[in-house]
Amino acid sequence: MKKASTELELTGSNRKTLSKYLRKYWQYYLLMFIPLVYYIIFRYLPMAGNIIAFRRYRAGGNIFGAEWSGLKYFKQFVTDQTFWRAFKNTLVLNVSYLLVRFPLTLIFALLLNEIQNLKWKKFVQTVSYLPHFISMVIVTGMIRELVSMTGPINTFIQKIGGQPISFISQAEWFTPIFVLSGVWQALGWGTILYLAAMAGINPSLYEAAEVDGANHFQRVWHVTIPCILPTITTLLILDIGGLIGSGASFEKVYLLYNPMVYETADIISTFVYRIGLNSGNYSYATAVGLFEAVLNLCLLTAANRISKKVTGSGLW
C-alpha cells in the first residue's frame, strides 16, 4: 500500500511539473506541435494507402481497393523489364551523384574552414549557398539553355572546330548533366553541417598538434577529420539510405528527360508517375513505391550497422 501511494504521489508530481512547463514554455511546444501535425497528416496517415498494393483499386471506388489481389502486382513488376531499367537508372544516377558530391562537399568544407579572412569567407559561403535556393524549374531551364544546340557550350565547341552536340536528346549525356548540375546546386549547402561540426573543435587540439610538429595538412588529417567523423558518418548513412529512393531527384529528372533518353533517365519515381497517374494503374504503382521504401529501409539499416562496427558511431 505504501509503495502504491508513493507511485501515485510521483505521478501527481510529474503531472504538475509537466503542466508547469507547458504553461511556461507553451510557445516552444506550439512550434513543435505544428511540424508534428504535419508529419502525422502528410507522412503517417497516407501510409494506410499502401494497402492498395495488395488490393485491386479503381478510381472512384473504395479508397482501400475493391478486392484482394495478394502479391499479384509485386510479381508483375518483378517480370517487367521497364521497371528494372528504371531501377538500374536510379542506382546509376544516385551512386554517381554520391561518389562525386560527397567527397567534393567534404573537401570544400575543409577549404572553407581554412579561410582566415572573415569577409572573404562569408562571400564564398553566400555565393556557394545561392544555387540551393533557386527553383528546380529555373535550374532545369538554365541547364536546357546551356546545353541547347545554340547554347554557350555548343557555341564554344563550334569555335574550336567541333560539331554541335544535342546533349538533351542523347541518352549517354544525361548522367553527366544530372551529376554536374546537382553538384553545382548542392555543394555549398552541403557544407553547413561540416562547418558547424568544425566550429565545435577545441582549438587546443590544433595547438598541441602544432607543438608536436604537425604541418597544416597533418593537422587537418589527424585533428579536423577525426573530430567531425561522426557527422561524416551520419550524412553518409543517410545518403546510402536514399540510394534507391528518387524523391529528391524526381523534379529534375521529370523536367529534363524525354522519351529519347528514357534508356538512362527513366527512374523509379518517373516510372511510378507514368504508371500511376498517367495510366491509372494505382495498385501497381503503389506496389513499386512500397518495394522502393522497404529497400531503402534495408539499405539504411545495413549502412548504420556497418558504420557502428567500423567507426563506432551511427544514427541509432
Side-chain angles (χ1 to χ4, degrees), residues 245-259:
S246 42
S249 56
F250 168 74
E251 289 182 9
K252 183 189 286 187
V253 173
Y254 181 73
L255 292 168
L256 281 177
Y257 85 153
N258 57 73

Side-chain angles (χ1 to χ4, degrees), residues 220-290:
V220 171
W221 184 258
H222 294 288
V223 177
T224 306
I225 293 180
C227 287
I228 65 170
L229 189 59
T231 303
I232 297 173
T233 304
T234 301
L235 293 178
L236 183 59
I237 290 171
L238 292 173
D239 283 336
I240 292 174
L243 282 180
I244 306 300
S246 42
S249 56
F250 168 74
E251 289 182 9
K252 183 189 286 187
V253 173
Y254 181 73
L255 292 168
L256 281 177
Y257 85 153
N258 57 73
M260 290 182 287
V261 296
Y262 275 2
E263 183 184 344
T264 58
D266 192 27
I267 58 176
I268 294 177
S269 287
T270 54
F271 174 76
V272 169
Y273 176 81
R274 287 201 316 276
I275 296 297
L277 294 180
N278 290 354
S279 302
N281 198 344
Y282 300 104
S283 294
Y284 183 41
T286 303
V288 175
L290 185 59

Side-chain angles (χ1 to χ4, degrees), residues 293-314:
V294 171
L295 204 54
N296 277 326
L297 180 61
C298 293
L299 277 174
L300 183 65
T301 305
N304 186 68
R305 287 187 177 180
I306 293 170
S307 174
K308 289 186 77 173
K309 287 183 178 179
V310 176
T311 66
S313 62

Side-chain angles (χ1 to χ4, degrees), residues 140 142-158 160 162-178 180-181 255-265:
T140 52
M142 292 167 61
I143 294 170
R144 285 183 176 276
E145 288 297 321
L146 284 171
V147 301
S148 67
M149 295 296 288
T150 57
I153 295 178
N154 272 318
T155 301
F156 175 75
I157 291 173
Q158 287 178 301
I160 61 175
Q163 294 295 322
I165 303 170
S166 181
F167 294 100
I168 210 69
S169 61
Q170 294 186 17
E172 63 269 20
W173 284 105
F174 188 85
T175 300
I177 291 172
F178 177 87
L180 293 176
S181 61
L255 292 168
L256 281 177
Y257 85 153
N258 57 73
M260 290 182 287
V261 296
Y262 275 2
E263 183 184 344
T264 58

Side-chain angles (χ1 to χ4, degrees), residues 45-121:
L45 289 181
M47 287 184 184
N50 285 323
I51 191 65
I52 67 172
F54 306 94
R55 298 179 67 87
R56 186 179 180 184
Y57 174 79
R58 290 180 179 177
N62 190 325
I63 61 171
F64 295 116
E67 60 186 63
W68 184 259
S69 59
L71 299 177
K72 171 188 173 182
Y73 298 106
F74 292 91
K75 293 175 181 177
Q76 187 176 338
F77 75 71
V78 166
T79 57
D80 188 348
Q81 293 302 315
T82 307
F83 164 77
W84 289 112
R85 182 188 67 184
F87 182 85
K88 183 195 76 173
N89 292 341
T90 304
L91 268 180
V92 170
L93 287 175
N94 287 341
V95 170
S96 302
Y97 180 53
L98 176 62
L99 290 177
V100 175
R101 178 190 58 79
F102 193 84
L104 283 180
T105 303
L106 178 58
I107 293 169
F108 187 58
L110 292 171
L111 293 174
L112 276 176
N113 191 55
E114 297 301 318
I115 297 177
Q116 300 299 320
N117 188 317
L118 191 59
K119 288 184 179 179
W120 175 245
K121 184 177 181 179

